[in-house]
Amino acid sequence: AWPQSAVLRRHPRRRRHRPSTPRAMATLVLETNLGRVRHLHINSPDNLNALSGAMIHALTEKFAPENLSDASVVLLTSAGRHFGAGHDLGEMASGKYDANLFRQCSNLMQLVATCPIPVLAAVQGCAFAAGCQLAASCDVVLAAAGARFATPGVRIGLFCSTPSVAVTRAATAKVAAEMLFAGRELSASEALAAGLVSRVVASEAPAALLEEALRTCHTIAESPREVLVAGKALLVAQRGQTLEKAYDIASAAMERGMTRQVAAEGISAFLEKRPACWACEEFEVERAVKLVCEGVAVVGASANAARPSHDVFCKVRDFAPAYPVNPTCAEVAGAPTYVNLAAVPSPFAVVNIFRASGAPAAEAIDEALALARQVRGIRAIWLQEGVRAPEAERRARAQGLVVVADRCLAVELRKRGLLQGASGATAAGPPSPSAKL
């Protein structure tokens, strides 16, 4: 990785730069779903997260648009003390690297810059050369107070040509020129002033940077994915256009936006001074359905066979382990009930909630979140059809849980051929919008 001289100067105990070591492709970039956030973690700290040929290939796969259709925002982080030190000079000097390395890297940077959803980078330590290029290609950049940014290729006789494309589009022209011609490092505060960074996180603790980055990503992901996708497409389309053309593109985008149901709901919520109740994303439904086989706790399952909660519990139990949670009765359909989620003795991944919208549903969500923090295996919240608790739903997503709201679990299972019977309705008919016990 490079620039070697800069790393050695700042870290005198490091006698020599450790060369790249062979790694399994699967470990180069770790991928995690945190609610609506796709967390991509560059995992090659031994060579300062250098953009080797293998790393470029791994990141290119992760940023392929078809692989991001089930996320609303991407969080890009890296392991160790440094975000990224650029290309792997050892690999390049060996003559074993692909002659198309720089074109492959350029293709990766274009995938990041034109990614259909927002991309946020959390930068610690050095972001040099291609590492700086990668950060500059992201939509939002949070930097630790000690982060440093540089494009010092000129010092080793190789001008940072490809990094210049991203850097000159992110930083002011004069600052970018000094970085490229003089190889000058920018501190985090200087990078912020130059427009290369969105915000500086004051704490030097890695946990603080990640915490703030996740908080920001979850804030972004609170908005409907279709709005974020349309907004990102607009920013990409109008960039570089004349003023008149840019406004033409933006006006058309606003007109399309006003026709969407999400705009109608958002505007109504604002005028009525209430939280907006966005529909859940389809990819959240798919993820939650896949977790059902790991067990479901049905909060509010009723002993009354005429109630929708009773019918849904019975149907879910035919497909997966199901546990009724209801302190007001001893059993539901022959199954013993539990007074609360903590009393359920077996593990379960999904909490299916039959409670009134607002405070009652929020209370059940918060109980589930408390257990999830205790690593009890809870990974999804499912609010039955007619049930919403917008603020609590946001808290659950911010904790990384999958949240589905205002949907019938039994109906969704049947749609996918996982339950017997006609599609779209339970034996007792569709659940009541009130979702009473």
Side-chain angles (χ1 to χ4, degrees), residues 3 13 18 54 63 76 93 132 156 170 223 225 243 273 286 308 345 356 359 374-375 388 403 424 427:
R13 293 181 183 179
R18 286 175 288 183
F63 274 99
L76 184 63
C132 184
I156 60 169
S223 296
R225 186 181 190 274
L243 188 64
K273 295 180 172 56
E286 293 296 332
Q374 299 173 25
V375 196
R388 296 303 303 263
V403 179

Side-chain angles (χ1 to χ4, degrees), residues 267-396:
I267 293 171
S268 295
F270 176 81
L271 295 176
E272 296 167 13
K273 295 180 172 56
R274 61 172 175 81
C277 287
W278 312 117
C280 59
E281 305 289 353
E282 286 303 316
F283 66 78
E284 293 178 299
V285 178
E286 293 296 332
R287 284 186 194 166
V289 165
K290 290 178 181 177
L291 293 171
V292 168
C293 61
E294 298 179 28
V296 181
V298 183
V299 177
S302 176
N304 185 341
R307 295 296 190 188
S309 60
H310 181 98
D311 185 64
V312 169
F313 167 76
C314 292
K315 285 181 165 50
V316 171
R317 184 178 59 174
D318 289 340
F319 173 71
Y323 312 98
V325 177
N326 189 340
T328 67
C329 60
E331 66 174 41
V332 173
T337 60
Y338 303 94
V339 295
N340 53 38
L341 291 172
V344 178
S346 301
F348 54 92
V350 180
V351 177
N352 184 205
I353 297 174
F354 281 84
R355 289 292 189 221
S357 293
E363 182 180 351
I365 292 174
D366 287 337
E367 182 187 0
L369 292 181
L371 288 178
R373 285 191 287 270
Q374 299 173 25
V375 196
R376 287 288 298 271
I378 298 174
R379 295 156 64 191
I381 303 292
W382 192 300
L383 299 178
Q384 196 60 26
E385 187 173 0
V387 180
R388 296 303 303 263
E391 294 298 334
E393 292 170 33
R394 279 191 276 273
R395 291 196 293 274

Side-chain angles (χ1 to χ4, degrees), residues 8 36 49 53 63 68 77 95 132 137 171 207 246 353 385 394 397 421-422 435 437:
L8 290 175
R36 294 174 173 178
N49 300 307
F63 274 99
L68 297 172
T77 62
C132 184
S137 298
I353 297 174
E385 187 173 0
R394 279 191 276 273
R397 289 193 177 97
L437 294 177

Side-chain angles (χ1 to χ4, degrees), residues 53-142:
M55 180 62 77
I56 290 170
H57 178 75
L59 283 170
T60 297
E61 287 189 339
K62 298 298 184 183
F63 274 99
E66 60 269 21
N67 292 334
L68 297 172
S69 60
D70 58 346
S72 294
V73 61
V74 175
L75 170 60
L76 184 63
T77 62
S78 56
R81 297 174 62 184
H82 300 288
F83 180 76
H87 288 297
D88 191 327
L89 286 184
E91 178 184 74
M92 292 166 59
S94 70
K96 297 178 181 178
Y97 78 99
D98 190 328
N100 293 316
L101 176 71
F102 296 111
R103 291 193 181 278
Q104 292 167 356
C105 185
S106 295
N107 290 337
L108 166 62
M109 299 301 168
Q110 291 175 75
L111 278 178
V112 175
T114 62
C115 179
I117 55 178
V119 181
L120 184 150
V123 177
Q124 80 285 2
C126 70
F128 288 169
C132 184
Q133 178 187 7
L134 180 59
S137 298
C138 297
D139 299 295
V140 180
V141 179
L142 300 190

Side-chain angles (χ1 to χ4, degrees), residues 101-258:
L101 176 71
F102 296 111
R103 291 193 181 278
Q104 292 167 356
C105 185
S106 295
N107 290 337
L108 166 62
M109 299 301 168
Q110 291 175 75
L111 278 178
V112 175
T114 62
C115 179
I117 55 178
V119 181
L120 184 150
V123 177
Q124 80 285 2
C126 70
F128 288 169
C132 184
Q133 178 187 7
L134 180 59
S137 298
C138 297
D139 299 295
V140 180
V141 179
L142 300 190
R148 312 188 318 272
F149 300 80
T151 52
V154 68
R155 294 183 179 179
I156 60 169
L158 184 62
F159 192 81
C160 282
S161 302
T162 47
S164 75
V165 175
V167 171
T168 57
R169 281 164 170 74
T172 61
K174 303 302 183 186
V175 172
E178 186 180 13
M179 292 176 70
L180 291 161
F181 288 126
R184 180 172 177 268
E185 290 182 19
L186 299 186
S187 66
S189 59
E190 289 173 320
L192 175 64
L196 198 57
V197 164
S198 307
R199 191 149 41 92
V200 176
V201 178
S203 174
E204 288 284 355
L209 177 63
L210 179 59
E211 180 181 343
E212 184 59 23
L214 280 171
R215 189 195 67 78
T216 304
C217 283
H218 286 303
T219 298
I220 293 171
E222 286 176 6
S223 296
R225 186 181 190 274
E226 64 178 293
V227 175
L228 298 174
V229 169
K232 180 64 180 285
L234 178 276
L235 292 180
V236 172
Q238 65 88 30
R239 191 175 297 146
Q241 301 288 345
T242 64
L243 188 64
E244 181 181 6
K245 181 62 174 177
Y247 271 116
D248 284 343
I249 294 170
S251 296
M254 288 290 287
E255 291 163 2
R256 290 192 298 272
M258 281 297 295

